[in-house]
Amino acid sequence: MEHIGARKNPSSPQAPAAIIEQLKSIPSALISDNMRRLAGTSNLRPMYQGEQLVGTAVTVRVRPGDNLAIHRAFDYCRPGDVMVIDGGGDTTQALMGEIMTTYARTIGIAGLVIDGAIRDVAGIREMGYPVFARGATHKGPYKCGPGEINVPVSIDGLVINPGDIIVADEDGIVAFAQSEALYLIEKALQQIQREQDTMTAIREGRYDRSWIDALEANSAG
């Protein structure tokens, strides 16, 4: 069977380490809220238990069920990057398993986002290494190509560009341009404070729910 190589582009500059560290304390839900709740995924799930995943995207687009381009994309990933794999949402063949996941962790990749299937779920879960995927199957991949590295990809309908920042946790995955990071961090931290104040008010029995009456009045009008 003929093997067809990947179309390759250089990786984008990484997001500053200070930005990545700040984002590690911000849930994906709060990032989503401050992106008007319009951007993000809902059908990819964490295949591990542990901390959230934050890093700079190195993107890969593959033919469904074929992981040749993923193997080449390892050469484009730096410590702290997130490999984002557009497998077209296909779950009939696993794109990665425990061996490739172990290699990704060994070279310092922060985690994997796969719009496709994986296998060896038990072993990956035991690692505690951040892997998000659409599903799992015992069927392994092909290695014929073609593929593309560092191009815009669609992950469960979310367009991710090379160099975007990824924030992913048990609630889902969001991605945004590095230029938006400081704004989103500022807004999310403000929201964290508001939500903490609300939780305190609930515990102290002084939670104000009058906003419901105001909304209903506006709707009736």
Side-chain angles (χ1 to χ4, degrees), residues 51-111:
E51 298 179 354
Q52 72 178 155
L53 170 61
V54 183
T56 304
V58 171
T59 63
V60 191
R61 180 186 293 131
V62 301
R63 183 170 64 86
D66 192 292
N67 73 2
L68 181 62
I70 299 173
H71 283 278
R72 178 54 64 197
F74 283 132
D75 297 332
Y76 289 74
C77 292
R78 303 144 300 193
D81 283 337
V82 177
M83 187 185 286
V84 178
I85 302 164
D86 179 357
D90 180 77
T91 58
T92 58
Q93 310 286 146
L95 290 173
M96 299 182 73
E98 187 175 4
I99 290 175
M100 291 178 71
T101 302
T102 300
Y103 182 69
R105 182 178 65 172
T106 300
I107 65 174
I109 295 175

Side-chain angles (χ1 to χ4, degrees), residues 17-62:
I19 295 291
I20 297 299
E21 284 304 310
Q22 284 183 286
L23 287 166
K24 287 180 179 179
S25 65
I26 299 175
S28 67
L30 298 191
I31 299 292
S32 175
D33 284 352
N34 288 285
M35 297 178 73
R36 300 186 179 182
R37 303 173 180 174
L38 294 174
T41 72
S42 57
N43 291 314
L44 273 65
R45 305 309 307 164
M47 299 293 184
Y48 74 108
Q49 290 183 333
E51 298 179 354
Q52 72 178 155
L53 170 61
V54 183
T56 304
V58 171
T59 63
V60 191
R61 180 186 293 131
V62 301

